[in-house]
Amino acid sequence: KFGSQFSFKLPHGGFAFWIQLKNPKVNLIKVKQKCKENNLHLPTNILYQTQNESAMRLGFAHLDEEEMEKHLDILQKSMHTIS
């Protein structure tokens, strides 16, 4: 789904993915705002951005599969409108 936008590794324990955006210039604050418009809250403390890297930590422990899918769809659509 996100092959052109993200790279990530499955966690070896724990309940979160560390996701790196392939384009480090994507403004994560704009992504956060677009997600909020679509009822998905991304806390600022999960976003990591420098001049050379954009990444986020997505936790999934409290979500069922349907909720994960819904949230990832919102994130993907938000990323698409920003990039």
Side-chain angles (χ1 to χ4, degrees), residues 30-44:
K30 287 183 180 179
V31 173
K32 172 186 166 67
Q33 291 167 342
K34 185 55 80 171
C35 285
K36 185 177 181 179
E37 291 173 14
N38 292 296
N39 299 317
L40 176 61
H41 174 67
L42 295 180
T44 304

Side-chain angles (χ1 to χ4, degrees), residues 9-10 12 21 28 30 41 44 54 61 64 71 79 81:
K9 293 182 182 176
L10 293 175
H12 295 290
L21 281 69
L28 292 179
K30 287 183 180 179
H41 174 67
T44 304
S54 291
D64 63 31
H71 293 161
M79 288 291 304
T81 60

Side-chain angles (χ1 to χ4, degrees), residues 17-76:
F17 290 96
W18 180 253
I19 298 177
Q20 287 189 275
L21 281 69
K22 291 184 177 179
N23 178 0
K25 304 299 181 199
V26 171
N27 184 318
L28 292 179
I29 297 302
K30 287 183 180 179
V31 173
K32 172 186 166 67
Q33 291 167 342
K34 185 55 80 171
C35 285
K36 185 177 181 179
E37 291 173 14
N38 292 296
N39 299 317
L40 176 61
H41 174 67
L42 295 180
T44 304
N45 66 342
I46 71 163
L47 307 176
Y48 177 79
Q49 190 151 32
T50 66
Q51 284 185 312
N52 301 316
E53 183 176 16
S54 291
M56 61 182 76
R57 181 185 179 275
L58 295 181
F60 57 90
H62 63 285
L63 302 175
D64 63 31
E65 190 173 335
E66 184 177 318
E67 291 170 317
M68 282 187 268
E69 187 76 27
K70 177 183 172 187
H71 293 161
L72 289 173
D73 283 344
I74 293 170
L75 180 59
Q76 180 185 31

